């Protein structure tokens, strides 16, 4: 049933149930499978993210070579292609299929008797890399085809891609955590597919369109269109934007329409693929060593414009990072006006030799983010000025330091008003504490009027103070006051995100909230305990530890607590599992360290399903602490309190006895 809803949601984009109902069904399944592992099937939706991270991708030989396509860049090149095939086939009666050329990564997927068994990259066309586990994380891919009589072997070819929105989100998170950005959705998709740990791939929300067949036994088709309809009926995601045409003029019209409309699509395309429909005609035309002679890719011209770089502005971010932004003479690129572009950092400006006053080439990375490709050297007048990162912060005049080996320069003044301003904006933002009415102008005034010095001060503002804000009458002050009070009740994950701990984006904050019951609980977590959590690496763990070590941060947290901001939560899984035995009734378990055979939530669910309680902190009331590898402070605490400590194996024995 879940597979059906998955299909409605991810392939058809027409869900029949709400997200909450879906989550409920999923939770139910997890519980059933935890209690009865023998019922787990390979196509179960719980099996999308499985397996251990590997060291490398195994080579896979393709059963049928994965070819690429010849390109055409103009109508006349398309016409030349058409004339050639007409000549070779001795007829002008050729049906063509036009498809979008999605810009992603080519993959081959093998289904045996309807079950997804393997996925591979193109590689050199003969041998690719085994990415079976990573492809499995793609939600729109059915792990079992919707076919009554599935063929023995069905190799499907398609393109794995990232939506523009997802690409932006990934880059936003990477920028927040100081990682290099992906240049476009294709690179981001390729990078995500090549993750050694499928759990990381799963967070990237990749998608796939299928557009053809590879090696197939047990089913036959007469033309390409028919094969696409078959793949669609099998539950695979075939683009809706495909068209059968009878002349090259019509095909060109399809190209023109999509060249114009490409910006409206939620994913990136770089052209149109035109294929001869009939298999008989395809066979007559044959292949070259690299590409079929019955298909051609019409490539859209890259949209680049030139404009003048008026200035390089510096912006001080929440972490003190001083980032340069190009101020441009406004120009329309890929459907929208561009007047600013990020320059990332000083090295990037040097590498591209970009100078203030230059005429520069502008494009949109992945059709989304404006960037400067290069200066037009021939247009230089000699009056252009090179850029140098200032030694003083443009906001507070404090020292700007660029640690050796790092690309980012930072203002080191903890009280820099620009940093505090950004922190306040972040804290109140929708994804964080969601304080409606506390936007840029209000934050600026509260800081300028010295009504707040840090984020905790927001909760000590009274209505009279709020009335001092420009254009604020009674009603606005009331509303903001109420919004501030309301925000005290936000879930733990929101608060953790709002605190602005470096490398803790919205997603990581949720992971943390799933593993800890309170801010205090997280603050006292050891490095080892943190890195034992999937998705929390050493860099994030170190950043969390050092955030809570900092006295100023401790003081802010204390102030938040005193003001009544909710700092804890009920454990998420608690109560959601209805016990099916009462073997562990009344017993409380705490897990610490990395378990090798179960995930922490699986182990907790087992406890729940047997009537026990899983807690995240050790107290005298704890009955068992289950210690995995590199246990953290909970282990020490259990020892101190004399709580019984057992290994993962002992735990498994206990629950299976
Ligand atoms: S057909 C033998 N159709 O474009 C036919 N390719 O060099 C080979 N691509 O990376 C491909 N959308 O993955 C075909 N609708 C489409 C496509 C498509 C994107 C990619 C393909 C490969 C490149 C062709």
């Amino acid at each position: 049933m879940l597979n059906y809803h998955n299909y409605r949601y991810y392939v058809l984009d027409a869900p029949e149930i709400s997200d909450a109902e879906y989550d409920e069904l999923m939770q139910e399944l997890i519980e059933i499978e935890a209690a009865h592992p023998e019922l787990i099937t390979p196509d179960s939706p719980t099996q999308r993210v499985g397996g251990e991270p590997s060291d490398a991708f195994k080579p896979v030989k393709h059963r049928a070579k994965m070819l690429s396509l010849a390109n055409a860049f103009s109508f006349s090149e398309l016409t030349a292609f058409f004339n050639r095939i007409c000549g070779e086939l001795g007829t002008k009666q050729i049906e063509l299929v036009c498809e979008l050329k999605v810009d992603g990564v080519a993959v081959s997927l093998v289904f045996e008797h309807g079950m997804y068994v393997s996925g591979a990259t193109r590689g050199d066309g003969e041998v690719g890399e085994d990415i079976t586990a990573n492809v499995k994380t793609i939600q729109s891919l059915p792990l079992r085809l919707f076919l009554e009589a599935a063929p023995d072997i069905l190799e499907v070819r398609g393109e794995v891609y990232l939506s523009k929105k997802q690409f932006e989100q990934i880059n936003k998170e990477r920028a927040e955590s100081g990682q290099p950005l992906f240049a476009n959705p294709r690179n981001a998709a390729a990078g995500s597919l090549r993750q050694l740990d499928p759990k990381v791939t799963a967070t990237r929300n990749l998608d796939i369109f299928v557009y053809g067949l590879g090696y197939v036994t047990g089913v036959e088709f007469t033309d390409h269109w028919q094969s696409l309809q078959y793949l669609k009926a099998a539950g695979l995601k075939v683009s809706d934007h495909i068209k059968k045409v009878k002349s090259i003029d019509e095909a060109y019209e399809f190209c023109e329409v999509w060249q114009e409309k490409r910006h409206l699509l939620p994913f990136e395309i770089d052209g149109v693929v035109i294929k001869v429909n009939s298999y008989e005609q395809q066979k007559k035309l044959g292949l070259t060593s690299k590409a079929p002679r019955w298909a051609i890719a019409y490539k859209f011209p890259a949209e680049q414009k030139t404009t003048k770089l008026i200035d390089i502005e510096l912006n001080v971010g929440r972490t003190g990072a001083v980032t340069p932004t190009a101020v441009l003479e406004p120009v329309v690129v890929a459907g929208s006006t561009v007047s600013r572009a990020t320059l990332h950092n000083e090295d990037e400006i040097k590498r591209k030799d970009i100078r203030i006053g230059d005429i520069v080439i502008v494009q949109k990375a992945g059709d989304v983010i404006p960037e400067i490709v290069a200066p037009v050297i021939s247009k230089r007048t000699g009056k252009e000025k090179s850029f140098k990162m200032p030694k003083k912060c443009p906001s507070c005049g404090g020292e700007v330091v660029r640690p050796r080996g790092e690309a980012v320069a930072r203002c080191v003044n903890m009280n820099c008003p620009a940093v505090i301003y950004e922190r306040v904006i972040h804290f109140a933002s929708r994804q964080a504490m969601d304080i409606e009415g506390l936007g840029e102008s209000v934050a600026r005034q509260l800081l300028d009027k010295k009504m707040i010095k840090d984020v905790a001060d927001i909760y000590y503002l009274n209505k009279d103070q709020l009335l001092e804000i420009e254009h604020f009458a009674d009603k606005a002050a009331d509303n903001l006051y109420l919004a501030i009070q309301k925000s005290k009740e936000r879930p733990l994950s929101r608060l953790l995100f709002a605190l602005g701990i470096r490398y803790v984006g919205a997603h990581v904050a949720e992971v943390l909230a799933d593993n800890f019951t309170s801010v205090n609980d997280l603050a006292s977590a050891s490095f080892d305990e943190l890195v034992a959590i999937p998705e929390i690496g050493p860099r994030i763990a170190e950043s969390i530890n050092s955030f809570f070590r900092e006295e100023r941060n401790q003081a802010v947290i204390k102030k938040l607590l005193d003001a009544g901001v909710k700092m804890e939560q009920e454990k998420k899984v608690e109560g959601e599992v209805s016990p099916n035995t009462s073997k562990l009734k009344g017993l409380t378990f705490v897990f610490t360290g990395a378990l090798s055979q179960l995930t922490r939530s699986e182990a907790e669910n087992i406890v729940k399903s047997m009537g026990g309680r899983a807690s995240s902190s050790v107290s005298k009331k704890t009955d068992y602490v289950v210690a995995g590898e590199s246990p953290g402070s909970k282990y020490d605490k259990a020892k101190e309190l004399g709580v019984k400590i057992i290994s993962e194996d002992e735990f498994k024995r206990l629950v299976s006895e």
Side-chain angles (χ1 to χ4, degrees):
M1 176 161 57
L2 270 163
N3 279 336
Y4 168 76
H5 290 298
N6 237 40
Y7 173 73
R8 300 273 333 173
Y9 186 88
Y10 291 103
V11 181
L12 301 184
D13 199 12
E16 281 174 356
I17 57 173
S18 70
D19 289 4
E21 285 167 311
Y22 180 88
D23 289 347
E24 216 169 278
L25 285 175
M26 185 67 146
Q27 190 59 34
E28 227 171 84
L29 180 65
I30 291 172
E31 285 155 24
I32 295 168
E33 290 183 345
H36 303 284
E38 71 281 1
L39 297 181
I40 302 176
T41 59
D43 67 326
S44 163
T46 60
Q47 302 302 299
R48 286 199 180 264
V49 189
E52 289 304 304
S54 58
D55 301 332
F57 299 102
K58 279 191 302 226
V60 213
K61 186 157 169 40
H62 298 300
R63 286 193 174 100
K65 195 171 168 182
M66 278 184 85
L67 298 168
S68 80
L69 291 170
N71 291 324
F73 295 93
S74 62
F75 181 52
S76 69
E77 285 179 32
L78 276 187
T79 312
F81 161 79
F82 191 68
N83 289 342
R84 172 177 65 75
I85 59 173
C86 287
E88 286 176 30
L89 294 172
T91 171
K92 289 202 163 158
Q93 303 298 311
I94 304 174
E95 207 170 42
L96 301 166
V97 177
C98 304
E99 298 168 16
L100 301 181
K101 187 169 182 305
V102 182
D103 203 9
V105 181
V107 293
S108 144
L109 311 175
V110 179
F111 291 85
E112 283 178 10
H113 307 289
M115 297 296 282
Y116 168 70
V117 292
S118 76
T121 59
R122 179 170 177 274
D124 63 4
E126 308 256 3
V127 178
E129 286 178 319
D130 183 348
I131 48 164
T132 307
N134 285 350
V135 169
K136 214 171 174 181
T137 67
I138 302 174
Q139 297 284 356
S140 62
L141 179 79
L143 301 179
R144 180 203 295 263
L145 297 177
F146 306 175
L147 295 172
E148 297 234 322
D152 299 344
I153 298 175
L154 184 76
E155 187 193 353
V156 178
R157 301 278 166 83
E159 196 84 352
V160 170
Y161 69 96
L162 267 177
S163 69
K164 293 176 187 170
K165 204 164 142 208
Q166 196 57 37
F167 163 69
E168 266 181 281
Q169 179 64 25
I170 293 172
N171 262 357
K172 199 171 140 228
E173 281 174 19
R174 288 173 79 85
E176 267 171 25
S177 64
Q179 290 168 277
L181 304 189
F182 288 118
N184 51 48
R186 175 168 29 83
N187 288 2
S192 305
L193 262 190
R194 289 190 47 85
Q195 289 292 329
L196 294 170
D197 186 351
K199 291 194 184 67
V200 178
T201 309
T203 65
R204 301 283 174 83
N205 295 324
L206 289 165
D207 211 332
I208 187 170
F209 274 124
V210 301
Y211 54 66
L213 297 172
Y215 181 84
V216 177
T217 59
V219 61
E220 278 181 28
F221 306 101
T222 55
D223 63 42
H224 176 60
W225 186 265
Q226 193 188 30
S227 77
L228 291 180
Q229 300 312 315
Y230 177 83
L231 294 175
K232 199 169 186 171
L236 290 154
K237 191 163 164 176
V238 176
S239 171
D240 286 331
H241 308 303
I242 52 176
K243 193 174 180 191
K244 241 189 311 192
V245 299
K246 291 204 155 52
S247 70
I248 199 66
D249 286 353
E250 277 178 273
Y252 189 62
E253 205 179 291
F254 185 90
C255 297
E256 280 186 321
V257 166
W258 283 107
Q259 186 165 322
E260 187 67 23
K261 289 207 299 193
R262 60 192 287 208
H263 310 303
L264 303 176
L265 289 166
F267 48 85
E268 172 130 348
I269 58 172
D270 63 343
V272 165
V273 183
I274 300 163
K275 302 172 182 174
V276 169
N277 190 26
S278 143
Y279 277 181
E280 200 187 314
Q281 289 182 332
Q282 282 190 8
K283 215 165 142 201
K284 268 194 198 153
L285 290 163
L287 316 165
T288 71
S289 63
K290 286 203 197 97
R293 304 181 74 246
W294 43 262
I296 194 152
Y298 171 77
K299 295 286 269 289
F300 297 144
E303 262 207 80
Q304 293 190 336
K305 291 282 173 66
T306 57
T307 188
K308 187 170 178 170
L309 172 64
I310 307 169
D311 198 4
I312 294 181
E313 234 177 48
L314 293 163
N315 179 32
V316 187
R318 191 154 53 82
T319 58
V322 183
T323 41
T325 302
V327 182
L328 303 164
E329 239 163 48
V331 58
V332 177
V333 191
S336 69
T337 305
V338 172
S339 54
R340 305 169 79 76
T342 172
L343 292 165
H344 304 297
N345 55 50
E346 195 180 0
D347 287 354
E348 190 74 2
I349 301 174
K350 275 215 186 89
R351 194 175 63 78
K352 291 183 176 165
D353 186 23
I354 295 168
R355 302 180 193 176
I356 298 167
D358 265 339
I359 298 296
V360 290
I361 301 168
V362 181
Q363 71 176 22
K364 282 201 190 152
D367 219 24
V368 192
I369 299 162
E371 67 173 14
I372 294 183
V373 182
V376 185
I377 308 277
S378 62
K379 296 241 168 106
R380 285 219 169 124
T381 62
K383 287 193 186 140
E384 295 76 17
K385 280 194 281 183
S386 296
F387 170 79
K388 231 181 136 32
M389 185 60 81
K391 297 239 176 317
K392 299 247 176 291
C393 169
S395 169
C396 68
E399 200 186 349
V400 169
V401 174
R402 183 175 159 194
R404 193 173 301 168
E406 278 196 27
V408 180
R410 284 176 210 281
C411 167
V412 293
N413 175 12
M414 294 288 291
N415 291 315
C416 173
V419 174
I420 295 177
Y421 166 77
E422 294 291 343
R423 280 209 191 125
V424 171
I425 294 288
H426 170 75
F427 186 86
S429 67
R430 181 143 335 148
Q431 269 191 302
M433 297 304 264
D434 194 10
I435 306 179
E436 209 184 322
L438 211 175
E440 293 179 7
S441 142
V442 172
R444 168 86 46 230
Q445 292 184 59
L446 292 174
L447 287 163
D448 287 351
K449 293 184 203 291
K450 308 228 177 325
M451 288 197 253
I452 60 170
K453 283 206 205 67
D454 59 42
V455 295
D457 289 338
I458 295 171
Y459 293 101
Y460 293 85
L461 291 165
N462 58 39
K463 215 185 118 185
D464 286 342
Q465 285 174 298
L466 295 179
L467 280 168
E468 284 179 41
I469 297 170
E470 233 173 80
H471 310 306
F472 256 43
D474 244 23
K475 182 109 176 73
D478 263 346
N479 285 347
L480 180 53
Y481 185 80
L482 285 177
I484 292 172
Q485 304 315 312
K486 209 166 114 194
S487 75
K488 289 179 180 173
E489 292 298 317
R490 298 279 176 249
L492 182 63
S493 58
R494 298 284 207 94
L495 176 63
L496 294 178
F497 175 57
L499 288 175
I501 306 169
R502 225 170 138 198
Y503 308 134
V504 177
H507 174 70
V508 170
E510 271 181 30
V511 173
L512 293 172
D514 279 345
N515 283 275
F516 296 92
T517 42
S518 66
V519 175
N520 258 340
D521 198 13
L522 175 65
S524 60
S526 70
F527 179 86
D528 290 344
E529 240 173 303
L530 287 166
V531 290
I533 301 168
E535 293 192 61
I536 308 294
R539 205 176 46 158
I540 302 176
E542 171 54 35
S543 165
I544 294 170
N545 281 164
S546 70
F547 179 89
F548 288 109
R549 266 200 304 268
E550 179 83 47
E551 269 175 34
R552 291 167 52 95
N553 294 334
Q554 289 171 10
V556 169
I557 289 164
K558 166 119 198 348
K559 259 162 70 182
L560 288 169
L561 181 70
D562 291 346
V565 174
K566 197 171 88 180
M567 298 256 167
E568 47 198 29
Q569 69 177 3
E570 293 292 305
K571 196 82 176 87
K572 239 192 184 168
V573 279
E574 207 145 80
E576 286 176 11
V577 180
S578 41
N580 49 20
T581 81
S582 50
K583 203 157 139 189
L584 303 181
K585 191 159 187 242
L587 297 177
T588 301
F589 286 75
V590 173
F591 294 88
T592 176
L595 304 180
S596 63
Q597 301 153 52
L598 296 163
T599 68
R600 194 172 289 191
S601 65
E602 280 167 353
E604 288 178 346
N605 278 338
I606 292 177
V607 170
K608 302 268 144 62
S609 72
M610 296 184 137
R613 222 174 74 83
S615 166
S616 68
S617 54
V618 180
S619 73
K620 274 193 222 142
K621 290 184 195 149
T622 311
D623 295 288
Y624 290 97
V625 166
V626 183
E629 213 172 294
S630 347
S633 59
K634 290 177 196 168
Y635 181 87
D636 301 331
K637 184 131 186 227
K639 264 189 153 172
E640 197 185 300
L641 296 174
V643 173
K644 194 168 168 66
I645 300 172
I646 58 172
S647 68
E648 185 179 355
D649 281 340
E650 285 171 310
F651 170 73
K652 287 195 86 172
R653 242 174 282 138
L654 185 74
V655 295
S656 62
E657 264 166 14

